[in-house]
Amino acid sequence: MKLALFDLDNTLLAGDSDFQWAQFLIEQDVLDREVYEARNIEFYEQYKAGTLDIHEFLDFQLKPLSRHPREQLHAWRSSFIQQKIMPLIAPGARELIARHQAEQDLCIIITATNSFVTAPIAQALGIRHLIATEPEQKNGQFTGRVSGIPCFQAGKITRLEQWFNEQNLTWLSFLQSWFYSDSLNDLPLLRKVTHPVAVDPDATLHEHAQKNGWPIISLR
């Protein structure tokens, strides 16, 4: 068995779904532009710099989910996927996924962005398995808090290994493993696989990939 792991934002997508979701809610007048837009941009810059406090960000990002009924959230999300996400699917993303699927590799999207936003994106990309940051729910409604360990930086390894355990798998179940990512934040998991691949990487990851002889590709 072989394993193919895909980061989502700025990897399979030519943009960031977390950032775009907040911007979409601002455009819909769900969130106050004056209050939220500057903070959204600030968090995104911190993420790119590798300095993001994930819990502070998730408090910002998940709170709006708790303020509206699920039916309304699903309606907004449907419009968001069509208007903002479908145009962002990187031109080479589907071909890369299809290549691994043709080899019958186990394909998983693993992303820091929450599963409410990313589940329909994984479905649109034809990938069955998604490991994402999980919003906490009670009685069918979001609480605005995170459930468990955020799927971010080294937390991606923890969440992946938890998923392995649920499937009766370990790293030793795989002869080869790939991880495709654009971000310095994913260096812990990139170092874990047998085939790390830098995809349209940020400057830090690009330098690291060059030094270590990792492939550098573009899906755009």
Side-chain angles (χ1 to χ4, degrees), residues 23-56:
Q23 290 301 112
F24 176 79
L25 294 179
I26 290 168
E27 291 169 12
Q28 302 300 309
D29 294 323
V30 179
L31 299 178
D32 182 83
R33 182 177 297 274
E34 186 175 347
V35 173
Y36 278 88
E37 188 164 45
R39 287 292 280 157
N40 196 33
I41 293 169
E42 181 183 358
F43 280 127
Y44 189 41
E45 292 302 318
Q46 290 172 2
Y47 171 81
K48 291 190 291 184
T51 61
L52 180 67
D53 181 325
I54 188 62
H55 291 283
E56 184 182 8

Side-chain angles (χ1 to χ4, degrees), residues 8-10 43 60 67 81 114 119 122 124 128 162-163 165 179 184-185 197 204:
L8 181 64
D9 298 312
N10 293 306
F43 280 127
F60 166 84
R67 298 180 184 136
I81 296 297
N114 71 80
R128 176 184 172 191
Q162 288 174 344
W163 189 88
N165 187 57
F179 181 35
L184 64 93
N185 291 290
V197 182
T204 301

Side-chain angles (χ1 to χ4, degrees), residues 175-186:
L175 293 174
Q176 299 180 76
S177 54
W178 285 261
F179 181 35
Y180 297 90
S181 176
D182 72 291
S183 176
L184 64 93
N185 291 290
D186 283 332

